[in-house]
Amino acid sequence: MRQQKRHSPDRSGQNGRPSPAGRSTNRPNLVRLYGRHPVTAALANPERRLVRLYATREALAEVETPPKLDVRLMDSQELKRLVPEGAPTQGLVLETHPLDGPALFDVLQNIPAEDRRPILVLDQVTDPHNIGAILRSAAAFDARAVVTQDRHAPPETGALAKSASGCLELVPWVRVVNLARALDDIAEAGFWRIGMDGRAERSLSQVLGTSRPCLVLGAEGEGMRPNVVEHCDELAKLPISGRVESLNVSNAAAIALYAAAARG
C-alpha cells in the first residue's frame, strides 16, 4: 500500500518565523514521535498518516520529508515543550496518527511452507519501554509479527517509539481482543505455540526443533495467565544461571528470537 504524496514542506514556518510551541496541542487521536530514528523511520513509512513535523533548522537539513507535509521550524527549547520532560528530541518532533495495525488474519495468510519466522505473543506486558525494545529485537531477528491484547498493552506513544528506535515502523504489531482465541488461530495456521516459563522441564533449543514457532511471553513476575498457558502446545525455559531468578521480558524475548533465528 502507498500513501498519498504530499506537497512541498514549508521549511520556514509561518511568516518565516518559528511557530511557538503553544500553538500546537497534542490532540487525543494523535501521537508525537521524537528523536532521529523514530521520526526518520516514520517519515519513510508509506503507511503513516503524517500531520506535522517540528524541527530545528539543523535537524531538518538532514532528513527527507514527504511532499505536502506541514513543517514548522523551532529552536531546541521550543521543541522540549512538545514532549515529556527530559525526552530527547534530537531536533525532531513528528505529530502523526497512530499506525493502523494489521489484522491477525492478514498476518497468517499465504505463509510459504518453508517460512519458519516466529510470531511473538505478549501476555500483559504493559511497559512501553519493554514493548519498544521487543519490537526492536523482533525487527533484528525478522519476526513475522508481535501480538498483544488490546486491554493489556500500552498504546503507541513517543516513549515506546523511542525505545523501538525506528522498528515500530518495521514489524507488524497486531492487537487482538482475545489472546486465547488468537492463539487458536495461530495454531490453525501451522505454528507451534511455545510458552516461555522458567519452571519448564525442557529448554527452548530442545523444544524448537524444525517448527514454525509462536513464542509466548508473560509479564515479569506474574508470567503468563493460566488461560494463556492452556493455549500453548509446550512450555520451554531459557537456560540461565541460578544466580539470577529471571530475565527482563525484553531480554528474554531477544534471546528467544535469536534461538529461533539461529536454527539454520
Side-chain angles (χ1 to χ4, degrees), residues 102-263:
L104 182 60
F105 175 84
D106 294 329
V107 169
L108 298 177
Q109 290 302 296
N110 303 318
I111 302 176
E114 66 278 8
D115 189 342
R116 297 189 298 165
R117 289 184 296 155
I119 285 178
L120 195 64
V121 173
L122 304 177
D123 181 25
Q124 300 193 104
V125 178
T126 58
D127 186 289
H129 297 92
N130 278 333
I131 296 287
I134 288 169
L135 286 166
R136 189 174 184 179
S137 295
F141 296 112
D142 201 22
R144 176 169 292 276
V146 172
V147 179
T148 62
Q149 189 173 6
D150 262 338
R151 292 181 294 115
H152 298 290
E156 180 182 325
T157 63
L160 187 152
K162 182 66 175 173
S163 295
S165 193
C167 295
L168 176 61
E169 315 298 324
L170 302 179
V171 180
W173 181 5
V174 180
R175 295 172 178 271
V176 298
V177 175
N178 188 303
L179 210 56
R181 188 177 304 127
L183 285 166
D184 284 342
D185 293 339
I186 290 170
E188 289 179 10
F191 285 81
W192 187 248
R193 302 165 299 180
I194 303 172
M196 301 305 302
D197 188 331
R199 299 164 296 183
E201 294 183 1
R202 298 210 293 162
S203 69
L204 179 59
S205 61
Q206 294 173 315
V207 169
L208 276 169
T210 60
S211 68
R212 179 187 291 163
C214 168
L215 303 169
V216 188
L217 290 88
E220 292 179 55
E222 298 177 4
M224 295 175 290
R225 290 172 293 173
N227 189 44
V228 172
V229 172
E230 291 175 4
H231 284 78
C232 293
D233 299 299
E234 195 164 359
L235 300 180
K237 63 183 177 181
L238 297 175
I240 62 174
S241 166
R243 293 178 294 176
V244 179
E245 182 179 350
S246 63
L247 291 172
N248 172 281
V249 65
S250 63
N251 291 335
I255 295 169
L257 288 166
Y258 169 76
R263 291 176 296 169

Side-chain angles (χ1 to χ4, degrees), residues 25-82:
T25 58
N26 198 5
R27 287 163 280 183
N29 60 326
L30 300 180
V31 295
R32 280 180 178 159
L33 309 182
Y34 49 83
R36 183 171 304 278
H37 290 303
V39 171
T40 55
L43 290 173
N45 184 0
E47 303 296 328
R48 275 283 180 190
R49 292 180 293 148
L50 307 174
V51 176
R52 184 173 294 116
L53 176 65
Y54 303 93
T56 63
R57 191 177 299 277
E58 296 77 14
L60 186 61
E62 297 181 3
V63 299
E64 293 186 15
T65 56
K68 271 191 163 178
L69 178 62
D70 182 10
V71 178
R72 309 289 177 90
L73 286 176
M74 289 186 171
D75 62 37
S76 58
Q77 291 304 312
E78 289 175 316
L79 286 177
K80 288 180 180 179
R81 301 190 191 109
L82 298 178

